[in-house]
Amino acid sequence: MNQKVNWFFDKNTKWQKEYKKLRAIIVDCGLTEELKWGCPCYTFKGNNIVLIHGFKDYCALLFHKGVLLNDTDKLLIQQTENVQSARQIRFTNMDEINELEQTIRTYVFEAVEVEKAGLEVKMKKTSEYEKPEELEQAFNVDPNFKTAFDSLTPGRQRGYFLHFSEAKQSKTRTSRIEKAKPKIFDGKGYNER
């Protein structure tokens, strides 16, 4: 166990007992414990395998390449429709973890085997994302805006595509695009300040 990660397990949260149990199971599987994204992340030869995190209604194990696992017990959940690789096993109480302890180990070991085999998730390319019509219109009105957008990294472009497309109404998409223009001209992503 990595002492730098202890603070995560020592803080008083709704899921404290569940976190500690999940930690014990995963550490027992021989993975290296690290702190990434403010959460305990378990790696094999430097590659991310599984992460422990929590939310209001559940705590979870997030398998970084979960989409490649067999999921014979049908436990893996895609967090949102835009998550391409990672999958979660969610828990709402200690009894669920205790009941699934051996299954959790099986999933962890399978995730390690996926990593050992060098399997990669085929990710959707930025060019395959749907561009909202309102964004195309904004590009036509201001070619400099298109140039600024095209110079963003693919990840930043995807972030904007998702943010703009989430809006159900055209006027909301247009408003989001207008609000994002200064950031785009500054070369910043949607979540950047």
Side-chain angles (χ1 to χ4, degrees), residues 42-72:
Y42 300 86
T43 63
F44 174 77
K45 293 187 177 181
N47 296 308
N48 300 331
I49 301 295
V50 64
L51 177 132
I52 297 173
H53 60 168
F55 299 88
K56 181 181 174 187
D57 296 327
Y58 64 89
C59 64
L61 290 177
L62 179 109
F63 289 88
H64 292 273
K65 293 184 180 177
V67 72
L68 299 177
L69 301 181
N70 288 323
D71 195 20
T72 52

Side-chain angles (χ1 to χ4, degrees), residues 89-100:
I89 299 178
R90 296 178 179 175
F91 308 96
T92 57
N93 59 60
M94 185 66 91
D95 291 339
E96 290 175 342
I97 297 170
N98 289 329
E99 183 180 314
L100 291 171

Side-chain angles (χ1 to χ4, degrees), residues 133-143 145 177-178 181:
E133 183 180 317
E134 295 80 4
L135 184 60
E136 291 289 357
Q137 290 170 354
F139 290 162
N140 292 335
V141 170
D142 185 355
F145 177 54
I177 291 165
E178 288 302 314
K181 277 185 177 182

Side-chain angles (χ1 to χ4, degrees), residues 37 48-50 61-71 76-89 107 111 114-115 119-124 129 158:
W37 308 284
N48 300 331
I49 301 295
V50 64
L61 290 177
L62 179 109
F63 289 88
H64 292 273
K65 293 184 180 177
V67 72
L68 299 177
L69 301 181
N70 288 323
D71 195 20
L76 295 175
I77 297 169
Q78 184 177 7
Q79 222 172 336
T80 69
E81 68 182 44
N82 296 316
V83 174
Q84 296 180 58
S85 180
R87 297 293 183 268
Q88 294 178 328
I89 299 178
Y107 276 61
V114 162
E115 203 56 51
L119 301 179
E120 295 293 331
V121 176
K122 185 178 181 322
M123 302 295 259
K124 189 175 174 181
Y129 281 81
R158 285 191 300 272

Side-chain angles (χ1 to χ4, degrees), residues 139 142-152 157 184-185:
F139 290 162
D142 185 355
N144 291 331
F145 177 54
K146 180 175 182 359
T147 301
F149 190 88
D150 289 344
S151 67
L152 294 173
Q157 290 178 14
I184 292 169
F185 277 111

